[in-house]
Amino acid sequence: LRSYLSALRLAEKMKNAFLQRESYTKLSTFYSSIEDYDRAIDYFTLAYNKLDELKTGNAVYQKVIDINGLGELYAQKKDYEMAIKYYEDALKMADSLHYANLEMPVYISLLNVYILMKEPQKSMEFMESAAGTKLKKYLTAVRMDPLADQAYAIIYSEMGKMDSARKYFDKSDGFFEATDNVTLKMYSLLNRGYYHKRKGEYQKAIDLFVSLNKLAEQNGVLETAKEANKNLDTLYSKIGAYEQSKFHAAAYYQYKDSIQTINKEKELAQVEAQDEQARQLKIAEDAAEKKRQRNNIQYLAITIGIVTLFLLLIVFGMFRVSAGTIKMIGFFAFLMFFEFIFLLFKKNIYAITHGEPWMDLLFMIGLAAILLPLHHWLEHKVLHYLTSANKLTTAGATLRSRFLGKDKPLSGI
């Protein structure tokens, strides 16, 4: 996390939108891995927003992928309504681009969410809709149609239509038995096991859950192993194999405890991550405060310098000082004064212009149109007063007489 945050600060310092997006994406993945989905969503949203700053041709297509990714994060959070909303937004964007291949991952995500929601009627409506028809055609084209068969099998099984479910399970079994994809294989074993359990075919269900448990243990998928042992406990009890039931009950609680320990570690990681972010924020705030204090000292020093120059200018006007010297000091005094005004305005116009170059330009032109004539007029009037009229020399003579013991007033320059 510290490395990701450091990378983000560097990317922001470089003002590199691509690297900022990469950092936000990595941070989202990190928070997703410790199941802090709210922060994961926040960072992924920031990564998505950075696409507007990337001037690449595929940014519009990447937006569809990102919106689908946000839906996936909400699905992991089990906020299925928000997940569906994002999937529907992604479909609208993909449709506006007239790029059908972008729609397929979103259709799969939608179908998975309906199945996870345990709403078989909605799942069936989706499969029979125009979107479902597109998805089935696509899966057939890429030789992945058993995925659609499996979906139908799960839906029919949850609807209690066991004969229809068996037909589709039989159609898809060969594909899932042959696949090297462990996740797909486990998913198939789990759903087929549920099917036989619902039908009361307990031994067939036991064989499938035993295979599932072995595969889950080999690959360290504790949640699936826990689910397999929970079902084996119930199934063995139903056929009177109580020793086996007791064994799998113990395994179930062992996995449950292990998962709780991992969840506690994830919660600890979330706390540590929050602490690290707070620390990084404090460092950034301290750096900003030091910079603010340093800037304030510089502004104060500039103000004192300008005031000193004007005081010096007044003093020179009171004493016998050449007009050239007064004009030179006056030139620098007025130049610093008006440039300082420009600096203050430039520093504070961001709230109005938000860094838009054309707005900055218009604002500075307007400011110059007011201040430059004022600068020249005021400088001319003051210097003319100091150098030609000599109206301050009498005051200067009085001061000189008082402090230096001179009686004769100065007659002029």
Side-chain angles (χ1 to χ4, degrees), residues 157-222:
S157 178
E158 289 181 350
M159 293 174 75
K161 298 180 179 180
M162 297 306 180
D163 291 340
S164 297
R166 179 185 290 276
K167 182 180 77 172
Y168 282 102
F169 272 126
D170 291 343
K171 283 179 68 177
S172 62
D173 275 352
F175 171 84
F176 288 100
E177 288 172 3
T179 185
D180 293 326
N181 188 311
V182 174
T183 301
L184 286 178
K185 194 182 285 287
M186 288 194 298
Y187 187 66
S188 175
L189 289 168
L190 180 66
N191 286 297
R192 190 72 189 249
Y194 285 148
Y195 164 77
H196 287 294
K197 183 180 177 182
R198 289 188 186 106
K199 281 204 73 179
E201 298 172 348
Y202 298 134
Q203 190 56 55
K204 288 182 178 179
I206 286 170
D207 293 341
L208 289 163
F209 280 115
V210 166
S211 298
L212 176 63
N213 184 44
K214 183 178 179 181
L215 198 59
E217 287 179 342
Q218 288 172 350
N219 291 277
V221 187
L222 302 189

Side-chain angles (χ1 to χ4, degrees), residues 102-119:
L102 280 174
E103 297 176 351
M104 298 309 140
V106 188
Y107 287 146
I108 292 171
S109 298
L110 260 176
L111 177 59
N112 284 336
V113 162
Y114 286 135
I115 291 173
L116 287 170
M117 290 171 71
K118 302 293 184 185
E119 294 190 18

Side-chain angles (χ1 to χ4, degrees), residues 20 34 68 100 102 165 176 212 220 229 297 315 329 338 344 407:
Q20 288 176 49
I34 61 171
N68 187 48
L102 280 174
F176 288 100
L212 176 63
N229 279 281
I297 291 170
V315 170
I329 298 296
F338 280 96
L344 292 176
D407 293 328

Side-chain angles (χ1 to χ4, degrees), residues 122-303:
K122 282 189 177 181
S123 302
M124 182 60 74
E125 287 172 4
F126 173 80
M127 290 299 289
E128 296 302 312
S129 68
T133 301
K134 285 183 183 179
L135 176 59
K136 287 179 282 188
K137 286 181 179 178
Y138 171 77
L139 291 174
T140 301
V142 296
R143 297 182 180 179
M144 296 286 285
D145 45 301
L147 291 176
D149 293 331
Q150 175 95 156
Y152 272 118
I154 295 167
I155 294 165
Y156 278 124
S157 178
E158 289 181 350
M159 293 174 75
K161 298 180 179 180
M162 297 306 180
D163 291 340
S164 297
R166 179 185 290 276
K167 182 180 77 172
Y168 282 102
F169 272 126
D170 291 343
K171 283 179 68 177
S172 62
D173 275 352
F175 171 84
F176 288 100
E177 288 172 3
T179 185
D180 293 326
N181 188 311
V182 174
T183 301
L184 286 178
K185 194 182 285 287
M186 288 194 298
Y187 187 66
S188 175
L189 289 168
L190 180 66
N191 286 297
R192 190 72 189 249
Y194 285 148
Y195 164 77
H196 287 294
K197 183 180 177 182
R198 289 188 186 106
K199 281 204 73 179
E201 298 172 348
Y202 298 134
Q203 190 56 55
K204 288 182 178 179
I206 286 170
D207 293 341
L208 289 163
F209 280 115
V210 166
S211 298
L212 176 63
N213 184 44
K214 183 178 179 181
L215 198 59
E217 287 179 342
Q218 288 172 350
N219 291 277
V221 187
L222 302 189
E223 281 287 354
T224 304
K226 183 188 82 168
E227 187 66 16
N229 279 281
K230 179 182 178 181
N231 281 278
L232 286 168
D233 171 25
T234 303
L235 290 164
Y236 276 118
S237 177
K238 285 185 177 296
I239 64 172
Y242 299 112
E243 285 298 319
Q244 290 283 59
S245 174
K246 184 179 177 181
F247 171 81
H248 286 288
Y252 164 76
Y253 284 109
Q254 185 178 357
Y255 281 120
K256 186 178 179 181
D257 290 343
S258 297
I259 290 167
Q260 286 176 345
T261 301
I262 290 170
N263 288 339
K264 287 178 182 177
E265 290 173 356
K266 287 179 178 177
E267 289 172 5
L268 178 61
Q270 290 177 18
V271 172
E272 290 173 346
Q274 291 170 6
D275 181 68
E276 178 61 22
Q277 278 214 315
R279 191 180 75 85
Q280 296 287 347
L281 182 62
K282 183 68 166 60
I283 291 171
E285 288 175 348
D286 289 346
E289 179 62 21
K290 286 179 181 177
K291 184 178 180 180
R292 188 186 66 80
Q293 290 176 357
R294 186 169 64 250
N295 289 347
N296 287 342
I297 291 170
Q298 291 180 32
Y299 285 125
L300 180 62
I302 293 170
T303 303

Side-chain angles (χ1 to χ4, degrees), residues 85-97:
K85 177 186 175 299
Y86 275 96
Y87 294 147
E88 289 173 347
D89 289 345
L91 286 173
K92 289 175 185 176
M93 292 171 67
D95 184 59
S96 68
L97 294 170

